C-alpha cells in the first residue's frame, strides 16, 4: 500500500481513439494518465527534401499532402511563399477565389473533425450527418478543381484554370446545405448534456500557458486569446471581408469544440461576402518562368489547426534550395498534452477526448 | 432523459430520411463531373517526344519508351508510358505538353481497379480514349494561355550614407 505502481500502455497507431497514424506511450497510475510520450514517424515522407527536387509549380502537388484533412490552406501557404520568391502579384480575382477555396477547406476540415470527436465520446450517429455536408463540399471541389481531396488548384501566380460559369450558384447552394446540417448538429450534439459532461472542465489550458507552449489556432482561441493570422496579418482577400474571431472562456475541451463550430459559421459568412465579387471574366493567372530569382520567401497562413509557416530559400534555380515547415500539430501533440496531464487528473477514458479536442493532424506532425 | 430529448427527436428526423450513401455500382455510377481528372489519353500522332511530361511529373510515374513505326512528328520515336500505381492525377503533364498530345478522361481509379499489378503500367499504344468515358482535361482548358509574368528590373541597393 502507498507504493505507486506505474503501468505503461501503448495507444495507437491503429486505435480508434488515436488521432490518425500517431501513437502514444502512456504512463498510468490506476486510471489516471500521468504522462504521454508521442511516438511520431508513421507518416514521415520527407517532404522538405522531396520539394528540393521538383519545379516551383510542381511543388504545389507536394504541399497539398502535408495535411490530408485540410490541404487547401497548406497549398495556399506554399503558393504565397513561392510568389514571395518570384515577386509576382497574383490577379485580384485569383486572390478572392483562393480565399474561397481555403475557407471551404476549413469548413470541411472542421466537419471531418466533428465525426472524430463524436466517435471518441461515443456519439457516432449525430456527427455522421456532418459527413453528408462534407460530401457536398467534396463534390463542389470535384466540380471546380477536378479532384475531391487533393485539389492542386492554386499555383504561384494565381489559380490553375478559370472558374466555371455557375460558380456562384453552386457555392451558395452548398453553403445552404452545410449551414442547415451544422445547425442541427449544434442542437443535437453541442446542446446535449451528455456531450457537455464529457468535455466541460476537462483538459483546461490557461491563456498564459497556451501562449508559452506554442499553441495556435482554435486551441489558443479556445483559451481566450484573440489571435488569428487572418486578422493580425491579413493575406489574400481577408482584408476585404468582415468576420469575427470566436474565442472560448475557460479553455477546456468544450470551449475548443465550440470555437471550431463557430468558425464554420464565420467561414460560411466569409465565402458569402466574397462569392459575389468573382466572375469568370478576366485574368486568373500569371505564368511564372521556370527559373526563380535568388532570394527568400515566406508564407504564413491560418490553417484549420493553427498557424502554419513555410520558409523557402532560392539560389536561382529551377527548384527550391531549401524548404522549412512549421506546422501547428507539433506543439499541440507534445508540449500541450504533457502540460495538461501534469496539472490535471485525466483518466484513460478521457484521454482520447482531450487529444481529439486539440484536433491534431498526424501527417502534418510527421510530414 | 429530458435533457437529451431534443437530440433524440432530431435524430429520429434524420433516421427517416433517404440514406445519403451512394450505392455503387448497384444503383448509381460513381460520382463524376465534367472536370474530374482520371486516366490519361495519348494522341500519338501529336506527340513530339520532347520529354517535358516526364520531367514535370511529381510522382515519377512517366517514362519514355521507344515505339517502332512511322512517326512524322516524333523523329526519336519515344512516347510516354504511365504507371497508374504512381500517378497522382495532378494533370501537370497535360498542362506542360506543348502540342496537346496528352489529355485526361473521367475514368477514375474506381474504373481502373484491378487485381493484377502487371496491368497498371499503360504503354503508349494502350493510352487510347476509353469507351464510355469522355475527355475532361485537355490543353483547351488553358486557352487563352495565361500571360507571362515579367519581373521588374532590379534596382541596385543604395549605398549607406553616413
Amino acid at each position: 500500500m502507498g507504493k505507486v505502481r506505474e503501468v505503461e500502455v501503448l495507444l495507437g497507431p491503429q486505435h480508434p481513439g488515436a488521432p490518425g497514424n500517431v501513437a502514444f506511450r502512456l504512463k498510468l497510475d490506476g486510471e489516471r494518465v500521468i504522462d504521454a510520450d508521442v511516438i511520431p514517424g508513421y507518416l514521415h515522407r520527407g517532404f522538405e527534401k522531396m520539394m528540393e527536387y521538383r519545379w516551383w509549380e510542381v511543388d504545389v502537388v507536394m504541399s497539398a499532402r502535408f495535411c490530408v484533412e485540410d490541404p487547401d490552406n497548406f497549398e495556399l501557404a506554399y503558393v504565397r511563399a513561392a510568389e514571395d520568391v518570384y515577386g509576382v502579384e497574383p490577379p485580384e480575382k485569383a486572390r478572392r477565389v483562393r480565399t474561397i477555396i481555403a475557407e471551404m477547406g476549413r469548413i470541411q476540415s472542421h466537419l471531418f473533425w466533428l465525426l472524430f470527436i463524436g466517435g471518441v465520446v461515443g456519439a457516432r450517429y449525430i456527427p455522421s450527418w456532418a459527413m453528408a455536408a462534407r460530401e457536398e463540399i467534396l463534390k463542389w471541389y470535384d466540380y471546380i478543381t477536378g479532384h475531391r481531396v487533393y485539389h492542386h488548384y492554386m499555383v504561384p501566380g494565381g489559380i490553375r484554370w478559370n472558374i466555371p460559369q455557375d460558380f456562384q450558384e453552386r457555392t451558395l447552394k452548398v453553403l445552404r446545405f452545410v449551414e442547415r446540417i451544422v445547425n442541427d448538429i449544434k442542437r443535437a450534439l453541442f446542446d446535449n448534456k451528455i456531450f457537455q459532461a464529457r468535455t466541460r472542465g476537462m483538459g483546461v489550458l490557461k491563456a498564459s500557458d497556451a501562449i508559452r507552449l506554442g499553441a495556435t489556432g482554435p486551441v489558443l482561441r479556445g483559451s481566450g486569446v484573440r489571435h488569428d493570422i487572418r486578422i493580425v496579418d491579413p493575406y489574400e482577400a481577408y482584408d476585404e471581408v468582415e468576420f469575427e474571431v470566436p474565442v472560448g472562456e475557460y479553455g477546456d475541451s468544450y470551449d475548443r469544440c465550440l470555437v471550431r463550430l463557430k468558425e464554420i459559421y464565420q467561414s460560411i459568412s466569409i465565402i458569402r461576402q466574397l462569392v459575389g465579387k468573382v466572375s469568370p471574366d478576366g485574368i486568373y493567372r500569371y505564368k511564372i518562368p521556370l527559373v526563380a530569382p535568388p532570394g527568400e520567401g515566406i508564407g504564413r497562413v491560418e490553417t484549420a489547426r493553427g498557424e502554419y509557416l513555410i520558409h523557402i530559400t532560392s539560389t536561382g534555380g529551377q527548384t527550391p534550395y531549401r524548404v522549412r515547415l512549421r506546422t501547428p500539430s507539433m506543439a499541440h501533440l507534445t508540449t500541450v498534452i504533457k502540460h495538461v496531464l501534469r496539472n490535471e487528473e485525466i483518466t484513460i477514458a478521457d484521454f482520447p477526448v482531450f487529444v481529439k479536442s486539440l484536433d491534431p493532424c498526424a501527417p502534418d506532425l510527421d510530414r | 432523459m429530458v435533457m437529451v430529448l431534443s437530440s433524440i427527436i432530431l435524430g429520429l428526423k434524420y433516421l427517416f430520411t433517404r440514406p445519403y450513401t451512394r450505392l455503387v455500382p448497384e444503383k448509381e455510377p460513381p460520382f463524376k463531373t465534367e472536370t474530374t481528372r482520371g486516366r490519361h489519353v495519348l494522341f500519338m500522332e501529336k506527340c513530339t517526344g520532347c520529354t517535358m511530361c516526364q520531367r514535370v511529373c511529381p510522382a515519377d510515374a512517366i517514362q519514355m519508351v521507344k515505339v517502332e513505326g512511322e512517326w512524322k512528328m516524333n523523329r526519336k520515336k519515344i512516347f510516354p508510358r504511365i504507371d497508374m500505381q504512381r500517378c497522382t492525377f495532378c494533370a501537370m503533364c497535360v498542362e506542360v505538353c506543348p502540342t496537346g498530345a496528352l489529355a485526361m478522361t473521367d475514368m477514375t481509379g474506381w474504373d481502373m481497379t484491378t487485381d493484377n499489378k502487371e496491368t497498371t503500367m499503360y504503354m503508349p499504344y494502350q493510352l487510347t480514349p476509353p469507351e464510355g468515358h469522355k475527355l475532361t482535361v485537355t490543353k483547351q482548358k488553358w486557352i487563352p494561355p495565361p500571360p507571362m509574368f515579367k519581373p521588374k528590373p532590379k534596382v541596385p541597393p543604395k549605398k549607406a550614407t553616413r
Side-chain angles (χ1 to χ4, degrees), chain A residues 54 125 136 151 160 184 188, chain B residues 7 11 14 20 37 58 90 149:
Chain A
R54 279 155 183 87
Y125 173 55
E136 280 301 310
H151 312 120
R160 241 175 121 193
D184 283 349
Chain B
S7 302
Y14 274 84
Y20 196 81
R37 287 177 261 155
C90 62
F149 162 69

Side-chain angles (χ1 to χ4, degrees), chain A residues 54-55 57-58 61-62 65 86-88 125 129 132 135-136 139 142-143 145-147 150-152 160-161 177 181 184 187-188 192-194 283-289 293-294, chain B residues 3-4 6-7 10-15 20 22 31-37 52 55-59 88-92 95-96 137 141-144 146-149 151 154:
Chain A
R54 279 155 183 87
W55 292 353
E57 277 188 10
V58 181
V61 182
M62 295 279 125
R65 283 175 161 72
Y86 273 92
V88 52
Y125 173 55
W129 309 339
E135 182 64 27
E136 280 301 310
K139 282 179 184 171
D142 198 331
Y143 186 73
T145 68
H147 266 201
Y150 297 124
H151 312 120
H152 316 143
R160 241 175 121 193
W161 47 72
F177 184 79
I181 286 195
D184 283 349
R187 270 172 59 203
N192 190 318
K193 289 278 161 30
I194 299 173
I283 300 170
Y284 58 93
R285 175 181 178 180
Y286 292 114
K287 188 98 178 121
I288 55 167
Chain B
M3 58 193 184
V4 293
S6 66
S7 302
L10 209 57
L12 282 174
K13 191 186 106 187
Y14 274 84
L15 200 62
Y20 196 81
R22 210 177 170 87
F31 182 79
K32 281 165 194 174
T33 61
E34 303 98 76
T35 46
T36 301
R37 287 177 261 155
M52 281 299 272
R55 280 191 245 171
V56 80
C57 184
T88 61
F89 302 97
C90 62
M92 284 285 172
E95 189 181 333
V96 83
V137 182
K141 219 171 169 78
W142 289 275
I143 287 177
M148 198 73 188
F149 162 69
K154 273 187 184 169

Side-chain angles (χ1 to χ4, degrees), chain A residues 147-176:
Chain A
H147 266 201
R148 287 160 58 84
V149 180
Y150 297 124
H151 312 120
H152 316 143
Y153 191 56
M154 307 168 189
V155 278
I159 47 177
R160 241 175 121 193
W161 47 72
N162 210 345
I163 52 172
Q165 290 291 335
D166 55 348
F167 180 77
Q168 193 173 344
E169 297 98 82
R170 272 184 186 260
T171 311
L172 292 175
K173 196 180 157 198
V174 170
L175 290 183
R176 276 196 296 276

Side-chain angles (χ1 to χ4, degrees), chain A residues 243-276:
Chain A
F243 62 100
E244 284 172 23
V245 180
V247 289
E249 209 174 325
Y250 307 105
D252 56 2
S253 297
Y254 185 74
D255 275 354
R256 290 192 282 272
C257 297
L258 205 59
V259 163
R260 287 202 185 85
L261 189 83
K262 286 177 181 168
E263 273 187 12
I264 296 180
Y265 288 110
Q266 293 304 322
S267 296
I268 291 174
S269 149
I270 292 172
I271 298 173
R272 281 200 177 130
Q273 288 173 50
L274 281 174
V275 79

Side-chain angles (χ1 to χ4, degrees), chain B residues 80-96:
Chain B
R81 72 162 186 201
I82 303 174
D83 187 352
M84 291 299 166
Q85 281 196 79
R86 299 187 73 116
C87 182
T88 61
F89 302 97
C90 62
M92 284 285 172
C93 48
V94 182
E95 189 181 333
V96 83

Side-chain angles (χ1 to χ4, degrees), chain B:
Chain B
M1 185 65 193
V2 179
M3 58 193 184
V4 293
L5 202 62
S6 66
S7 302
I8 294 171
I9 293 167
L10 209 57
L12 282 174
K13 191 186 106 187
Y14 274 84
L15 200 62
F16 294 111
T17 51
R18 200 176 67 85
Y20 196 81
T21 319
R22 210 177 170 87
L23 296 171
V24 176
E26 280 83 16
K27 295 226 170 137
E28 287 169 290
F31 182 79
K32 281 165 194 174
T33 61
E34 303 98 76
T35 46
T36 301
R37 287 177 261 155
R39 203 204 85 182
H40 299 74
V41 168
L42 174 69
F43 300 108
M44 287 176 79
E45 68 282 356
K46 283 191 197 168
C47 180
T48 58
C50 67
T51 72
M52 281 299 272
C53 49
Q54 184 191 10
R55 280 191 245 171
V56 80
C57 184
D60 200 12
I62 300 181
Q63 286 94 38
M64 307 304 282
V65 288
K66 203 156 194 172
V67 178
E68 290 302 331
E70 282 286 312
W71 306 108
K72 275 184 192 169
M73 299 267 285
N74 200 333
R75 293 241 178 113
K76 288 185 267 178
K77 297 180 182 174
I78 50 170
F79 295 90
R81 72 162 186 201
I82 303 174
D83 187 352
M84 291 299 166
Q85 281 196 79
R86 299 187 73 116
C87 182
T88 61
F89 302 97
C90 62
M92 284 285 172
C93 48
V94 182
E95 189 181 333
V96 83
C97 182
T99 58
L102 276 168
M104 278 183 148
T105 60
D106 62 359
M107 188 179 179
T108 52
W110 192 87
D111 302 300
M112 288 193 288
T113 311
T114 174
D115 53 6
N116 185 2
K117 264 198 219 171
E118 286 161 15
T119 59
T120 57
M121 182 77 84
Y122 281 71
M123 299 311 269
Y125 48 84
Q126 287 175 310
L127 289 167
T128 49
E131 270 182 37
H133 297 279
K134 48 189 175 185
L135 292 182
T136 50
V137 182
T138 57
K139 195 75 183 169
Q140 305 288 322
K141 219 171 169 78
W142 289 275
I143 287 177
M148 198 73 188
F149 162 69
K150 289 193 185 89
K152 286 173 196 164
K154 273 187 184 169
V155 184
K158 284 176 189 171
K159 279 181 186 171
T161 49
R162 284 186 188 179

Side-chain angles (χ1 to χ4, degrees), chain A residues 47-115:
Chain A
F47 273 123
E48 290 182 6
K49 200 72 191 165
M50 271 155 76
M51 286 173 83
E52 292 169 14
Y53 292 93
R54 279 155 183 87
W55 292 353
W56 289 92
E57 277 188 10
V58 181
D59 273 340
V60 173
V61 182
M62 295 279 125
S63 53
R65 283 175 161 72
F66 297 153
C67 181
V68 185
E69 290 153 28
D70 179 30
D72 300 288
N73 282 305
F74 284 77
E75 253 180 60
L76 182 60
Y78 168 73
V79 164
R80 286 184 55 76
E83 278 168 2
D84 200 3
V85 172
Y86 273 92
V88 52
E89 270 293 308
E92 200 172 35
K93 177 176 131 187
R95 275 197 306 205
R96 287 173 182 159
V97 174
R98 287 194 321 205
T99 313
I100 292 172
I101 296 270
E103 283 305 311
M104 211 56 127
R106 191 185 315 278
I107 297 174
Q108 63 103 357
S109 169
H110 286 342
L111 288 172
F112 203 35
W113 161 84
L114 269 172
L115 182 79

